Amino acid sequence: MNECYDITNDDMNDINITESSGNDLPPIGDNQNIAISKLTPELIHRAEVEVNEKENWKERDIQALREIVQNEELLNSQSDDAFLLRYLRARMFDYDKALHLIKQYYYLMANNPELFVPPKQLKCVFDSQTMCVLPKKCRSGEAVYAIRAGRWNPRKFNFDSLVAASIVTLEKAAIDEVVQINGLLCVIDMTDFGWSQLRRFGPSQAKKMVHIIDECLPIRFKAIHIVHESTLADIAFTILKPFLSEELRQKITFHGSDLTQLHQILAPDILPKEFGGQSGAINCEQWFDEIMSSESYLMTNRQNYGYKKVSDFSDIQELQTFENSLFRKSQTCNGYLFDYYKPSRVE
């Protein structure tokens, strides 16, 4: 059995803030940059339809965003073509929105170093078969992010470790240009989700999770499918619901134990047996190996770029919204869950 542990301040040694200044991807070495791929005609068309990308204007758009990012006095951002293109595609080539997303990402990294530990420290999460991006994409071209919420054992690793594993998973997935263009489908299996998980999932955790998914990462969720949900899973969604944007709410579908509709969207031959599929047991260790193949690239961004001084954050007014919580800080929802979530509080 692999020993798992909670992330503490002692694990932060590899995380620095600068003070001065898909699955088929190849391994990325220490000094290897990611080259922008030459898209097929089909992907060029889809990129124009889905993310407002104009092939003839792409270089101009990347350079324009680079100049905007480099004019941010407090921020030392990665600015290679592949990095900037990721954020442009995530925000439909809107320069202002792409810049805001980049700033939110680095702000999150500076304020929450426990969520950006080296991937090797998260092996326990993947060994527990908690999450992975499936090896095959669906028929319409989207990658599939599979989560098994009931596999989270709080005695082995805490909620921040779970979020950190999600962040590195989505960062790795976002390297794939097909994922940048076609987006991501998420499937969440709530089998075995019980009180041990729910009592550690309060408003603070819910808000953090939604904020990261919606505001901090260059990834587009096309749909979220939830299967095998129970009463406790419904309570967890009630905690989550106040923080969801209307757009994100519309993307969520509950399937219960009837997976017929899910299999019309995601063919059983790409799904593991845990999701009623035919591709064998889910293999999160294989996905962890994929992440580790890009560890140097991921850690280079985390260690060498970011906001220059934490003390400057008070001057960045647009990034303060997340800090002003609607709810008091909490480690768990145990003891006051139903005081906060009476029917009148839920739309």
Side-chain angles (χ1 to χ4, degrees), residues 284-333:
C284 298
E285 292 103 328
Q286 180 180 349
W287 173 246
F288 178 72
D289 291 341
E290 294 280 344
I291 291 173
M292 290 303 296
S293 74
S294 300
E295 182 182 34
S296 295
Y297 175 81
L298 294 169
M299 290 308 298
T300 294
N301 180 40
R302 294 176 175 194
Q303 291 176 330
N304 297 337
Y305 300 97
Y307 277 99
K308 298 178 182 180
K309 296 180 182 179
V310 177
S311 59
D312 290 333
F313 291 163
S314 59
D315 298 330
I316 310 174
Q317 298 298 322
E318 64 182 288
L319 299 177
Q320 300 304 313
T321 304
F322 181 49
E323 298 301 313
N324 299 324
S325 178
L326 298 174
F327 299 92
R328 63 189 179 195
K329 292 289 183 180
S330 64
Q331 294 303 312
T332 74
C333 61

Side-chain angles (χ1 to χ4, degrees), residues 84-269:
L84 296 174
L85 184 57
R86 235 172 284 161
Y87 286 83
L88 283 167
R89 284 170 170 161
R91 289 297 181 263
M92 304 289 289
F93 279 76
D94 183 306
Y95 299 163
D96 291 337
K97 291 181 179 179
L99 173 65
H100 182 72
L101 183 61
I102 291 171
K103 292 166 72 173
Q104 289 280 9
Y105 169 76
Y106 283 119
Y107 186 70
L108 176 75
M109 184 167 66
N111 275 278
N112 301 271
E114 71 280 1
L115 303 181
F116 292 87
V117 296
K120 61 186 176 183
Q121 294 186 15
L122 302 169
K123 187 175 187 297
C124 57
V125 180
F126 297 96
D127 285 347
S128 297
Q129 306 299 320
T130 307
M131 69 181 71
C132 69
V133 173
L134 298 183
K136 296 181 180 179
K137 295 178 173 67
C138 66
R139 286 172 296 197
S140 54
E142 293 88 357
V144 182
Y145 177 29
I147 301 173
R148 300 176 69 202
R151 298 293 297 180
W152 169 32
N153 184 343
R155 293 183 178 181
K156 290 185 176 182
F157 52 90
N158 63 14
F159 182 77
D160 282 342
S161 297
L162 194 68
V163 174
S166 298
I167 290 173
V168 77
T169 286
L170 295 174
E171 284 189 291
K172 168 62 177 177
I175 294 174
D176 186 345
E177 290 200 60
V178 177
V179 174
Q180 295 170 23
I181 293 168
N182 294 352
L184 196 73
L185 300 181
C186 182
V187 187
I188 305 174
D189 178 15
M190 300 301 291
T191 300
D192 296 328
F193 184 88
W195 277 112
S196 63
Q197 292 92 4
L198 182 61
R199 67 188 297 269
R200 292 168 175 83
F201 184 73
S204 177
Q205 287 76 23
K207 184 174 184 179
K208 177 187 288 187
M209 185 174 72
V210 173
H211 174 75
I212 291 169
I213 290 173
D214 224 14
E215 298 291 338
C216 298
L217 297 174
I219 203 85
R220 292 186 306 120
F221 281 89
K222 304 285 282 296
I224 300 173
H225 300 276
I226 302 176
V227 301
H228 300 138
E229 65 271 18
S230 63
T231 299
L232 295 183
D234 290 339
I235 294 174
F237 180 71
T238 301
I239 297 172
L240 201 62
K241 190 174 181 180
F243 305 110
L244 297 173
S245 65
E246 184 60 31
E247 180 182 358
L248 200 54
R249 289 188 198 188
Q250 294 298 321
K251 295 179 179 179
I252 298 175
T253 302
F254 293 91
H255 296 271
S257 58
D258 183 359
L259 304 185
T260 304
Q261 184 182 359
L262 177 68
H263 291 166
Q264 292 174 354
I265 302 168
L266 299 173
D269 62 350

Side-chain angles (χ1 to χ4, degrees), residues 52-69:
N52 199 33
E53 179 174 325
K54 305 295 190 292
E55 181 68 15
N56 294 335
W57 298 354
K58 186 160 58 179
E59 291 185 9
R60 181 208 67 177
D61 292 333
I62 292 171
Q63 182 57 30
L65 180 59
R66 180 181 291 113
E67 293 173 2
I68 293 170
V69 167

Side-chain angles (χ1 to χ4, degrees), residues 70-81:
Q70 290 175 343
N71 283 333
E72 290 290 320
E73 294 182 0
L74 303 180
L75 179 63
N76 176 30
S77 171
Q78 190 172 345
S79 58
D80 60 273
D81 288 359

